[in-house]
Amino acid sequence: MHDERSHPLLQQTALTVNPFLSLPTPPTLPPNYASLPSTLPPSTLNAAPTSSAPDLPAYVTSTTGGFAAHPSTIAAQNRSLLEQLEKQKLEGERAVEAWEREVRERELKERRRRAPGWLDREEKLLEPVKAGKEGGGVRNVMDEEPEVMKGGEKEKELVGEDLGAAMDRAFGRSEMG
């Protein structure tokens, strides 16, 4: 039995009009509105499997229809591609490091060829070799001690004369005055 009257509880509630509240209105449709077709295409979840994954439905298809696969198959292919790219990146880095090491070794070998022993020691102080001590060659009179004759005051004069003569021989004679 259906009663057309309102509920007794609602009859006791006072009805007020709120200017800030608007009742819903039906939406206006755009002019290019097209309704859904009455028959929907078959579900893609029931798509035929592919040869790469026979147990999974291939419901991700390309726009041309030439490729179809399951999302997990696509994700697995992407992971394997990333692994391959990482492997190639590491191999490339190793090849570059080997090439740089080879260049450094070649440069070091060239430096050692030019200056043998120089790069193999910690001390880097160059000392000239005195040619007079190695037998034959030019004698440096400034490095030699003057021969001293014994005899007090006469000894000092001779040392001074020998030193002056040695200087003249080393640098040439110079006149003062």
Side-chain angles (χ1 to χ4, degrees):
M1 187 175 222
H2 183 55
D3 191 10
E4 294 294 325
R5 295 180 320 150
S6 61
H7 193 273
L9 189 58
L10 288 176
Q11 289 176 353
Q12 296 173 6
T13 307
L15 183 64
T16 60
V17 177
N18 187 348
F20 302 107
L21 183 68
S22 60
L23 296 174
T25 58
T28 55
L29 297 174
N32 60 355
Y33 171 76
S35 62
L36 287 175
S38 60
T39 60
L40 294 174
S43 173
T44 56
L45 296 177
N46 299 330
T50 62
S51 60
S52 62
D55 55 338
L56 299 172
Y59 61 86
V60 177
T61 58
S62 67
T63 55
T64 60
F67 175 78
H70 190 269
S72 63
T73 307
I74 295 171
Q77 289 174 349
N78 288 342
R79 278 192 296 277
S80 67
L81 180 62
L82 282 174
E83 289 171 3
Q84 180 183 358
L85 290 174
E86 283 294 321
K87 182 180 172 187
Q88 287 177 348
K89 178 184 173 189
L90 290 174
E91 288 174 358
E93 288 174 352
R94 279 192 221 117
V96 167
E97 288 173 2
W99 175 73
E100 288 175 346
R101 186 173 49 253
E102 183 181 322
V103 167
R104 282 192 303 269
E105 288 172 0
R106 197 176 331 128
E107 289 175 352
L108 182 63
K109 188 176 179 183
E110 179 65 20
R111 287 187 199 128
R112 283 190 173 138
R113 186 184 67 79
R114 289 184 184 168
W118 171 258
L119 298 172
D120 300 328
R121 296 185 297 195
E122 289 298 318
E123 67 275 357
K124 300 293 184 192
L125 182 66
L126 292 177
E127 294 181 21
V129 177
K130 297 179 183 172
K133 293 187 179 179
E134 302 231 346
V138 180
R139 202 178 77 162
N140 190 351
V141 293
M142 295 303 290
D143 291 338
E144 296 177 3
E145 294 291 324
E147 293 184 18
V148 179
M149 294 173 57
K150 297 187 181 196
E153 199 60 42
K154 187 139 180 128
E155 177 183 334
K156 289 182 184 175
E157 286 180 25
L158 288 175
V159 170
E161 289 176 12
D162 287 345
L163 187 57
M167 295 275 288
D168 287 342
R169 282 193 304 271
F171 298 108
R173 185 136 176 94
S174 64
E175 298 289 329
M176 290 181 59

